[in-house]
Amino acid sequence: MTQTTEAAQAPEDSRPVRPAPSHRVHRAWFVAAVTFVTIIGAAAFRSLPGLLIDPLHQEFHWSRGTIGAAVSINLALYGLTAPFAAALMDRFGIRRVVAVALTVIAVGSGLTVWMTAAWQLLLCWGLLVGLGSGSMALAFAATVTNRWFTARKGLVTGILTAASASGQLIFLPLLSWIVTEHDWRPAAVTVSLAALAVVPFVWLLLRDHPADVGQLPYGATEFVPKPEPVRGAARRAVTVLFSAVRTAPFWLLAGTFAICGASTNGLVQTHFVPAAHDHGMPITAAASLLAVIGVFDVIGTIASGWFTDRFEPRRLLAVYYALRGISLLFLPMLLAPTVHPPMIFFIVFYGLDWVATVPPTLALCREQYGEDSAIVFGWVLASHQVGAALVAFLGGFARDRFGSYDVVWYASGALCAAAALMALVIRRRRPAVPAPAPAVSPAPA
């Protein structure tokens, strides 16, 4: 009777039954849209530091190393906050955490207008903006996707990841024009107002869970109740870290991703504009080139995800890092007062490789750490930002010491070559083969 009932209840097709189509747009897409706009706004906070190095150096006579230290703190906190941001969202809700984070960013950026000492830059732009932007990093997009979507998770994740590059495209030319025409203070105020402008949209339109509005996640066939606030998530993040650091693949993945951050956010995003300006290129032109990198970043990331499904992730990482290192070795010869075809080729080539390392790195985390892969990747992402922070500081220090950025480009090219070798060293984890069942002797007659 039980088997008959179960058979009657089971659908003929094992695939989940989709709800009937509706002409109304699912609430999940509005939540995704608000998340997209929020991440675009967050890109403004990451676009400004590279534009401030020369103006702050000229006005306050602070060394580029000191200014780079503020950017370094910002980048480090952006990464180190990420593993705990999801725990905060599980405890207090997405809407509250993001609204507070935006407010902290607005306060930190706005206060820089009145700063007169270098420690104030470290406090406002380093600490406050770093903590706020870190709370809206990878954890924000991942949490929204996991809660509101059952179907189309890959599409939504790709769109929200591309939002950062889109924001860079929008804000870099605008902020560089403001800095050039009206000084750096109006640019800082623009960032502050952009953060505050997003807060009402977050508070009014963003919801923590579909159950809050009595809806199913997009693509789900059954109602999903809202989980209780989680109080042990931060402890689990630390526990997973202690377990992962005992394995060799973690250090190889963290090392390669640290070099990835060093050669992208720490180096090019922070120092490309002042380096190009050293060679006579206008700030607006250099910022526009950096924005174009964001366009090809989207294309390269999507293509890398497609490649990761079809090719060995280790080999992909080795190729990506090797090509990036070669391009950085050629960059000092390409910098000039005007934009010329070889520089455009570098921008396109480098843009395609900007975050192409993310899909294969995430795939290797899944392969090595299974259910804990998301948390492990959060810590690997933290190493990415620590690497970026170190080079953001060391790049400014090297410019003060040697009078140019050439040594920084060459050193980064060598680091990328080391990352390519490290990627190839990661051993492939093979699935465990189940032990054969013991032979059962026949029962005596």
Side-chain angles (χ1 to χ4, degrees), residues 286-357:
S288 298
L289 289 176
L290 200 57
V292 173
I293 289 179
V295 178
F296 289 93
D297 168 29
V298 177
I299 301 173
T301 305
I302 296 173
S304 179
W306 188 86
F307 289 143
T308 303
D309 291 335
R310 291 160 175 80
F311 301 102
E312 174 60 42
R314 294 157 191 77
R315 296 181 180 179
L316 287 177
L317 280 180
V319 171
Y320 294 158
Y321 285 120
L323 293 177
R324 182 184 300 177
I326 293 172
S327 66
L328 289 174
L329 292 176
F330 280 97
L331 181 57
M333 296 179 283
L334 302 178
L335 293 170
T338 59
V339 179
H340 47 85
M343 173 58 76
I344 296 176
F345 178 80
F346 167 83
I347 293 296
V348 173
F349 184 85
Y350 188 86
L352 292 172
D353 199 3
W354 180 272
V355 290
T357 55

Side-chain angles (χ1 to χ4, degrees), residues 4 17 46 59 79 117 175 177 184 200 262 313 315 367 390-391 445:
T4 305
V17 179
R46 300 178 61 194
E59 179 173 341
L175 293 176
W177 178 82
W184 64 269
R315 296 181 180 179
E367 176 187 306
L390 286 173
V391 172

Side-chain angles (χ1 to χ4, degrees), residues 71-131:
V71 181
S72 176
I73 295 173
N74 180 292
L75 291 172
L77 289 177
Y78 180 86
L80 295 173
T81 305
F84 300 97
L88 290 173
M89 292 178 184
D90 288 339
R91 178 67 180 88
F92 300 105
I94 301 174
R95 183 170 60 163
R96 291 179 181 177
V97 172
V98 174
V100 171
L102 287 167
T103 304
V104 170
I105 291 171
V107 171
S109 180
L111 288 177
T112 58
V113 174
W114 291 283
M115 66 182 178
T116 56
W119 68 266
Q120 296 167 345
L121 176 67
L122 300 176
L123 173 64
C124 295
W125 199 263
L127 181 63
L128 294 180
V129 178
L131 287 174

Side-chain angles (χ1 to χ4, degrees), residues 142-143 170 202 204 228-229 236 324 384 411:
T143 303
I170 293 172
V202 169
L204 296 175
E228 294 295 326
R236 183 181 176 224
R324 182 184 300 177
H384 179 281

Side-chain angles (χ1 to χ4, degrees), residues 72 147 172 181 259 269 302 315 332 408 421:
S72 176
R147 291 188 180 185
L172 260 177
E181 299 294 330
I259 294 174
Q269 184 169 329
I302 296 173
R315 296 181 180 179
V408 183
L421 294 176

